[in-house]
């Protein structure tokens, strides 16, 4: 199947600093990628939809100024957690589908997930 | 808003028994329903999916059923094995959006 690579896999940062997480589709192009947050023993909560060449679409309750998303190319989306606080500590995971970005557009396609990033803010 | 409910949250079965996990979705426009398995600290992996134009799909020990009228779908695992132990997530999506709304997850434990 398609490969989505996420980097870094683990990061520890100090309160007040910013952290950037990268999500890359390695063997396909994706005009749309998704960012999720997962707390321990909980589900994947969709944070935002990353759109190549345009602004991200954020889910209700997610602060767009806190979680900056940039989708500068068809294979790369980045999530920057700005002014991180301990409550931002979590597992962040991205996904992308091959269908998004293909011509003609394929509508039923599997979402492939990155390996996730465990963020710890101290 | 869109919502997917999943039950049970935890499930313990004896090796060889069957396990059933149920999900209910709220968006009647949803027409694609994947199931993911997530092992501890790892990324979710697709195990089976079903589209709204079919009522059932089977792949070896795993099957999924869909009831569009009731807006619910279920995952069935037969002859469970210890390696089936993981967290399972259902999801619902509208074709072409690639946006998944996930259920709350079911922690399955298969007891040897």
């Amino acid at each position: 199947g398609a490969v989505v690579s996420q980097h870094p896999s683990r990061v520890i940062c100090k309160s007040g600093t910013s952290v950037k997480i990268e999500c890359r589709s390695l063997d396909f192009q994706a005009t749309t990628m998704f960012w999720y947050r997962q707390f321990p023993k909980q589900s994947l909560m969709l944070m935002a939809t990353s759109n190549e060449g345009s602004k991200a679409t954020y889910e209700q309750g997610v602060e767009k100024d806190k979680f900056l998303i940039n989708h500068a190319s068809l294979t790369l989306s980045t999530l920057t957690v700005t002014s991180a606080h301990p409550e931002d500590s979590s597992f962040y995971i991205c996904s992308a589908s091959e269908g998004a970005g293909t011509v003609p557009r394929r509508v039923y396609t599997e979402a492939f997930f990155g390996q996730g990033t465990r963020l710890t803010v101290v | 808003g869109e919502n997917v409910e999943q039950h049970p949250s935890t499930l313990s079965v004896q090796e060889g028994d069957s396990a059933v996990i149920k999900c209910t979705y709220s968006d009647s426009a949803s027409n694609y329903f994947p199931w993911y398995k997530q092992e501890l600290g790892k990324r979710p992996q697709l195990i089976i999916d079903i589209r709204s134009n079919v009522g059932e799909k089977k792949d070896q020990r795993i099957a999924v059923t869909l009831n569009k009228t009731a807006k619910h779908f279920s995952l069935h695992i037969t002859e469970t094995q210890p390696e089936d132990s993981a967290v399972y997530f259902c999801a619902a999506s509208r074709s072409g959006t690639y946006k998944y709304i996930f259920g709350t997850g079911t922690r399955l434990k298969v007891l040897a």
Side-chain angles (χ1 to χ4, degrees):
Chain A
V3 178
V4 174
S5 178
Q6 190 172 337
H7 177 81
S9 58
R10 292 179 182 272
V11 58
I12 301 173
C13 71
K14 293 183 178 180
S15 288
T17 61
S18 296
V19 174
K20 180 185 284 188
I21 303 169
E22 293 186 347
C23 180
R24 294 181 184 273
S25 56
L26 297 186
D27 51 1
F28 66 98
Q29 295 181 333
T31 55
T32 306
M33 294 185 179
F34 300 90
W35 287 96
Y36 296 85
R37 184 173 180 175
Q38 187 176 32
F39 289 104
K41 299 185 178 181
Q42 294 191 26
S43 187
L44 296 103
M45 183 193 78
L46 180 64
M47 298 175 65
T49 302
S50 174
N51 303 301
E52 187 268 335
S54 65
K55 291 183 179 180
T57 305
Y58 290 82
E59 296 299 303
Q60 192 173 8
V62 178
E63 299 176 57
K64 57 183 67 177
D65 295 331
K66 173 77 172 174
F67 300 99
L68 300 179
I69 291 173
N70 188 327
H71 196 148
S73 77
L74 286 171
T75 59
L76 174 64
S77 174
T78 60
L79 168 69
T80 301
V81 182
T82 63
S83 187
H85 291 285
E87 55 265 32
D88 297 325
S89 299
S90 189
F91 189 64
Y92 293 87
I93 191 164
C94 67
S95 77
S97 295
E98 282 189 87
T102 58
V103 178
R105 209 163 185 229
R106 290 151 52 188
V107 295
Y108 293 114
T109 57
E110 173 183 353
F112 295 94
F113 287 85
Q115 55 267 62
T117 298
R118 184 159 303 283
L119 170 63
T120 303
V121 184
V122 297
Chain B
E2 303 145 334
N3 184 48
V4 176
E5 294 186 357
Q6 184 172 344
H7 299 281
S9 56
T10 60
L11 178 61
S12 293
V13 298
Q14 288 294 134
E15 183 178 359
D17 287 350
S18 296
V20 179
I21 303 170
K22 299 182 179 182
C23 287
T24 303
Y25 59 98
S26 62
D27 183 2
S28 56
S30 296
N31 53 10
Y32 176 63
F33 308 93
W35 285 88
Y36 283 82
K37 176 182 179 182
Q38 186 179 28
E39 297 179 8
L40 187 64
K42 296 187 177 180
R43 74 184 86 190
Q45 301 274 9
L46 180 73
I47 56 171
I48 196 167
D49 57 11
I50 190 167
R51 303 174 187 178
S52 59
N53 59 346
V54 298
E56 184 174 358
K57 183 177 178 181
K58 190 174 181 180
D59 182 4
Q60 299 183 336
R61 296 187 297 109
I62 296 173
V64 58
T65 59
L66 171 66
N67 182 328
K68 285 193 322 183
T69 303
K71 291 192 285 187
H72 67 237
F73 55 113
S74 300
L75 177 71
H76 304 253
I77 306 174
T78 59
E79 301 172 26
T80 54
Q81 301 167 2
E83 50 266 37
D84 294 330
S85 297
V87 179
Y88 292 81
F89 293 99
C90 62
S93 177
R94 294 187 188 186
S95 64
T97 67
Y98 314 104
K99 176 180 172 180
Y100 289 18
I101 303 299
F102 282 89
T104 46
T106 296
R107 185 170 300 277
L108 173 65
K109 293 182 182 178
V110 180
L111 307 172

